[in-house]
PDB file of all heavy atoms in Angstrom:
ATOM      1  N   TYR I 272     -12.617  17.527  20.951  1.00  0.00           N
ATOM      2  CA  TYR I 272     -13.291  16.241  20.792  1.00  0.00           C
ATOM      3  C   TYR I 272     -13.118  15.724  19.372  1.00  0.00           C
ATOM      4  O   TYR I 272     -12.777  14.558  19.144  1.00  0.00           O
ATOM      5  CB  TYR I 272     -14.772  16.425  21.139  1.00  0.00           C
ATOM      6  CG  TYR I 272     -15.662  15.270  20.788  1.00  0.00           C
ATOM      7  CD1 TYR I 272     -15.647  14.102  21.553  1.00  0.00           C
ATOM      8  CD2 TYR I 272     -16.511  15.334  19.694  1.00  0.00           C
ATOM      9  CE1 TYR I 272     -16.465  13.042  21.227  1.00  0.00           C
ATOM     10  CE2 TYR I 272     -17.330  14.284  19.367  1.00  0.00           C
ATOM     11  CZ  TYR I 272     -17.311  13.141  20.130  1.00  0.00           C
ATOM     12  OH  TYR I 272     -18.107  12.089  19.810  1.00  0.00           O
ATOM     13  N   ARG I 273     -13.278  16.656  18.405  1.00  0.00           N
ATOM     14  CA  ARG I 273     -13.116  16.261  17.003  1.00  0.00           C
ATOM     15  C   ARG I 273     -11.660  15.875  16.714  1.00  0.00           C
ATOM     16  O   ARG I 273     -11.399  14.927  15.972  1.00  0.00           O
ATOM     17  CB  ARG I 273     -13.525  17.410  16.089  1.00  0.00           C
ATOM     18  CG  ARG I 273     -14.992  17.677  16.083  1.00  0.00           C
ATOM     19  CD  ARG I 273     -15.736  16.745  15.191  1.00  0.00           C
ATOM     20  NE  ARG I 273     -15.534  17.014  13.769  1.00  0.00           N
ATOM     21  CZ  ARG I 273     -16.131  16.326  12.804  1.00  0.00           C
ATOM     22  NH1 ARG I 273     -16.951  15.354  13.109  1.00  0.00           N
ATOM     23  NH2 ARG I 273     -15.900  16.605  11.546  1.00  0.00           N
ATOM     24  N   VAL I 274     -10.727  16.632  17.302  1.00  0.00           N
ATOM     25  CA  VAL I 274      -9.308  16.313  17.084  1.00  0.00           C
ATOM     26  C   VAL I 274      -9.005  14.918  17.606  1.00  0.00           C
ATOM     27  O   VAL I 274      -8.334  14.117  16.954  1.00  0.00           O
ATOM     28  CB  VAL I 274      -8.402  17.360  17.767  1.00  0.00           C
ATOM     29  CG1 VAL I 274      -6.960  16.891  17.790  1.00  0.00           C
ATOM     30  CG2 VAL I 274      -8.486  18.680  17.041  1.00  0.00           C
ATOM     31  N   GLY I 275      -9.543  14.630  18.805  1.00  0.00           N
ATOM     32  CA  GLY I 275      -9.318  13.302  19.379  1.00  0.00           C
ATOM     33  C   GLY I 275      -9.889  12.221  18.503  1.00  0.00           C
ATOM     34  O   GLY I 275      -9.216  11.223  18.194  1.00  0.00           O
ATOM     35  N   LYS I 276     -11.108  12.422  18.033  1.00  0.00           N
ATOM     36  CA  LYS I 276     -11.732  11.465  17.120  1.00  0.00           C
ATOM     37  C   LYS I 276     -10.902  11.310  15.856  1.00  0.00           C
ATOM     38  O   LYS I 276     -10.687  10.209  15.347  1.00  0.00           O
ATOM     39  CB  LYS I 276     -13.135  11.961  16.743  1.00  0.00           C
ATOM     40  CG  LYS I 276     -14.172  11.681  17.798  1.00  0.00           C
ATOM     41  CD  LYS I 276     -14.914  10.416  17.441  1.00  0.00           C
ATOM     42  CE  LYS I 276     -15.980  10.131  18.469  1.00  0.00           C
ATOM     43  NZ  LYS I 276     -16.443   8.760  18.369  1.00  0.00           N
ATOM     44  N   GLY I 277     -10.445  12.467  15.362  1.00  0.00           N
ATOM     45  CA  GLY I 277      -9.643  12.460  14.137  1.00  0.00           C
ATOM     46  C   GLY I 277      -8.342  11.721  14.316  1.00  0.00           C
ATOM     47  O   GLY I 277      -7.893  11.011  13.409  1.00  0.00           O
ATOM     48  N   ASN I 278      -7.723  11.861  15.498  1.00  0.00           N
ATOM     49  CA  ASN I 278      -6.474  11.137  15.742  1.00  0.00           C
ATOM     50  C   ASN I 278      -6.703   9.637  15.712  1.00  0.00           C
ATOM     51  O   ASN I 278      -5.905   8.891  15.126  1.00  0.00           O
ATOM     52  CB  ASN I 278      -5.883  11.548  17.095  1.00  0.00           C
ATOM     53  CG  ASN I 278      -5.261  12.918  17.022  1.00  0.00           C
ATOM     54  OD1 ASN I 278      -5.027  13.453  15.945  1.00  0.00           O
ATOM     55  ND2 ASN I 278      -5.021  13.511  18.177  1.00  0.00           N
ATOM     56  N   LEU I 279      -7.803   9.207  16.332  1.00  0.00           N
ATOM     57  CA  LEU I 279      -8.121   7.771  16.300  1.00  0.00           C
ATOM     58  C   LEU I 279      -8.344   7.326  14.860  1.00  0.00           C
ATOM     59  O   LEU I 279      -7.881   6.249  14.447  1.00  0.00           O
ATOM     60  CB  LEU I 279      -9.371   7.485  17.127  1.00  0.00           C
ATOM     61  CG  LEU I 279      -9.241   7.677  18.634  1.00  0.00           C
ATOM     62  CD1 LEU I 279     -10.565   7.389  19.304  1.00  0.00           C
ATOM     63  CD2 LEU I 279      -8.163   6.779  19.198  1.00  0.00           C
ATOM     64  N   GLU I 280      -9.036   8.177  14.110  1.00  0.00           N
ATOM     65  CA  GLU I 280      -9.327   7.806  12.720  1.00  0.00           C
ATOM     66  C   GLU I 280      -8.041   7.745  11.890  1.00  0.00           C
ATOM     67  O   GLU I 280      -7.860   6.842  11.077  1.00  0.00           O
ATOM     68  CB  GLU I 280     -10.285   8.833  12.136  1.00  0.00           C
ATOM     69  CG  GLU I 280     -10.937   8.353  10.866  1.00  0.00           C
ATOM     70  CD  GLU I 280     -11.897   9.377  10.327  1.00  0.00           C
ATOM     71  OE1 GLU I 280     -12.805   9.771  11.081  1.00  0.00           O
ATOM     72  OE2 GLU I 280     -11.741   9.778   9.177  1.00  0.00           O
ATOM     73  N   LYS I 281      -7.160   8.707  12.135  1.00  0.00           N
ATOM     74  CA  LYS I 281      -5.888   8.735  11.414  1.00  0.00           C
ATOM     75  C   LYS I 281      -5.108   7.453  11.673  1.00  0.00           C
ATOM     76  O   LYS I 281      -4.481   6.896  10.767  1.00  0.00           O
ATOM     77  CB  LYS I 281      -5.088   9.938  11.914  1.00  0.00           C
ATOM     78  CG  LYS I 281      -4.275  10.631  10.837  1.00  0.00           C
ATOM     79  CD  LYS I 281      -3.370  11.628  11.491  1.00  0.00           C
ATOM     80  CE  LYS I 281      -3.622  13.023  11.018  1.00  0.00           C
ATOM     81  NZ  LYS I 281      -2.848  14.004  11.766  1.00  0.00           N
ATOM     82  N   ARG I 282      -5.156   7.007  12.924  1.00  0.00           N
ATOM     83  CA  ARG I 282      -4.450   5.782  13.276  1.00  0.00           C
ATOM     84  C   ARG I 282      -4.987   4.603  12.466  1.00  0.00           C
ATOM     85  O   ARG I 282      -4.230   3.786  11.948  1.00  0.00           O
ATOM     86  CB  ARG I 282      -4.632   5.525  14.771  1.00  0.00           C
ATOM     87  CG  ARG I 282      -3.680   4.509  15.313  1.00  0.00           C
ATOM     88  CD  ARG I 282      -3.549   4.658  16.790  1.00  0.00           C
ATOM     89  NE  ARG I 282      -4.668   4.097  17.502  1.00  0.00           N
ATOM     90  CZ  ARG I 282      -4.932   4.366  18.782  1.00  0.00           C
ATOM     91  NH1 ARG I 282      -4.190   5.220  19.440  1.00  0.00           N
ATOM     92  NH2 ARG I 282      -5.948   3.807  19.378  1.00  0.00           N
ATOM     93  N   GLU I 283      -6.319   4.558  12.347  1.00  0.00           N
ATOM     94  CA  GLU I 283      -6.918   3.455  11.591  1.00  0.00           C
ATOM     95  C   GLU I 283      -6.586   3.552  10.103  1.00  0.00           C
ATOM     96  O   GLU I 283      -6.349   2.536   9.445  1.00  0.00           O
ATOM     97  CB  GLU I 283      -8.431   3.433  11.794  1.00  0.00           C
ATOM     98  CG  GLU I 283      -8.839   3.051  13.195  1.00  0.00           C
ATOM     99  CD  GLU I 283      -8.201   1.752  13.650  1.00  0.00           C
ATOM    100  OE1 GLU I 283      -8.310   0.738  12.945  1.00  0.00           O
ATOM    101  OE2 GLU I 283      -7.558   1.756  14.715  1.00  0.00           O
ATOM    102  N   LEU I 284      -6.559   4.805   9.596  1.00  0.00           N
ATOM    103  CA  LEU I 284      -6.189   4.974   8.183  1.00  0.00           C
ATOM    104  C   LEU I 284      -4.766   4.505   7.949  1.00  0.00           C
ATOM    105  O   LEU I 284      -4.455   3.870   6.942  1.00  0.00           O
ATOM    106  CB  LEU I 284      -6.329   6.442   7.778  1.00  0.00           C
ATOM    107  CG  LEU I 284      -7.752   6.956   7.597  1.00  0.00           C
ATOM    108  CD1 LEU I 284      -7.730   8.451   7.398  1.00  0.00           C
ATOM    109  CD2 LEU I 284      -8.421   6.284   6.422  1.00  0.00           C
ATOM    110  N   GLN I 285      -3.897   4.814   8.905  1.00  0.00           N
ATOM    111  CA  GLN I 285      -2.498   4.386   8.790  1.00  0.00           C
ATOM    112  C   GLN I 285      -2.408   2.870   8.830  1.00  0.00           C
ATOM    113  O   GLN I 285      -1.672   2.253   8.066  1.00  0.00           O
ATOM    114  CB  GLN I 285      -1.681   5.017   9.928  1.00  0.00           C
ATOM    115  CG  GLN I 285      -0.192   4.761   9.833  1.00  0.00           C
ATOM    116  CD  GLN I 285       0.421   5.380   8.595  1.00  0.00           C
ATOM    117  OE1 GLN I 285      -0.139   6.290   8.004  1.00  0.00           O
ATOM    118  NE2 GLN I 285       1.558   4.866   8.174  1.00  0.00           N
ATOM    119  N   ARG I 286      -3.197   2.260   9.717  1.00  0.00           N
ATOM    120  CA  ARG I 286      -3.191   0.798   9.809  1.00  0.00           C
ATOM    121  C   ARG I 286      -3.649   0.173   8.482  1.00  0.00           C
ATOM    122  O   ARG I 286      -3.068  -0.791   8.009  1.00  0.00           O
ATOM    123  CB  ARG I 286      -4.121   0.340  10.938  1.00  0.00           C
ATOM    124  CG  ARG I 286      -3.986  -1.132  11.271  1.00  0.00           C
ATOM    125  CD  ARG I 286      -5.177  -1.646  12.036  1.00  0.00           C
ATOM    126  NE  ARG I 286      -5.503  -0.894  13.227  1.00  0.00           N
ATOM    127  CZ  ARG I 286      -4.814  -0.920  14.352  1.00  0.00           C
ATOM    128  NH1 ARG I 286      -3.763  -1.685  14.439  1.00  0.00           N
ATOM    129  NH2 ARG I 286      -5.188  -0.213  15.380  1.00  0.00           N
ATOM    130  N   GLU I 287      -4.674   0.794   7.905  1.00  0.00           N
ATOM    131  CA  GLU I 287      -5.175   0.288   6.631  1.00  0.00           C
ATOM    132  C   GLU I 287      -4.091   0.373   5.555  1.00  0.00           C
ATOM    133  O   GLU I 287      -3.860  -0.585   4.810  1.00  0.00           O
ATOM    134  CB  GLU I 287      -6.391   1.124   6.211  1.00  0.00           C
ATOM    135  CG  GLU I 287      -7.056   0.628   4.954  1.00  0.00           C
ATOM    136  CD  GLU I 287      -8.170   1.547   4.516  1.00  0.00           C
ATOM    137  OE1 GLU I 287      -8.081   2.758   4.785  1.00  0.00           O
ATOM    138  OE2 GLU I 287      -9.115   1.045   3.906  1.00  0.00           O
ATOM    139  N   LYS I 288      -3.407   1.505   5.510  1.00  0.00           N
ATOM    140  CA  LYS I 288      -2.368   1.701   4.495  1.00  0.00           C
ATOM    141  C   LYS I 288      -1.240   0.692   4.681  1.00  0.00           C
ATOM    142  O   LYS I 288      -0.781   0.061   3.723  1.00  0.00           O
ATOM    143  CB  LYS I 288      -1.822   3.128   4.618  1.00  0.00           C
ATOM    144  CG  LYS I 288      -0.843   3.501   3.528  1.00  0.00           C
ATOM    145  CD  LYS I 288      -0.160   4.797   3.829  1.00  0.00           C
ATOM    146  CE  LYS I 288      -0.998   5.983   3.426  1.00  0.00           C
ATOM    147  NZ  LYS I 288      -0.300   7.257   3.723  1.00  0.00           N
ATOM    148  N   VAL I 289      -0.814   0.535   5.940  1.00  0.00           N
ATOM    149  CA  VAL I 289       0.294  -0.382   6.216  1.00  0.00           C
ATOM    150  C   VAL I 289      -0.082  -1.808   5.830  1.00  0.00           C
ATOM    151  O   VAL I 289       0.706  -2.518   5.190  1.00  0.00           O
ATOM    152  CB  VAL I 289       0.683  -0.293   7.708  1.00  0.00           C
ATOM    153  CG1 VAL I 289       1.559  -1.459   8.102  1.00  0.00           C
ATOM    154  CG2 VAL I 289       1.398   1.003   7.985  1.00  0.00           C
TER     155      VAL I 289
END
Side-chain angles (χ1 to χ4, degrees):
Chain I
Y272 169 75
R273 290 279 287 182
V274 168
K276 280 263 181 196
N278 285 345
L279 292 179
E280 196 179 304
K281 216 190 240 173
R282 195 159 78 196
E283 291 307 307
L284 286 172
Q285 186 63 21
R286 191 198 306 287
E287 184 185 30
K288 186 190 277 180
V289 165

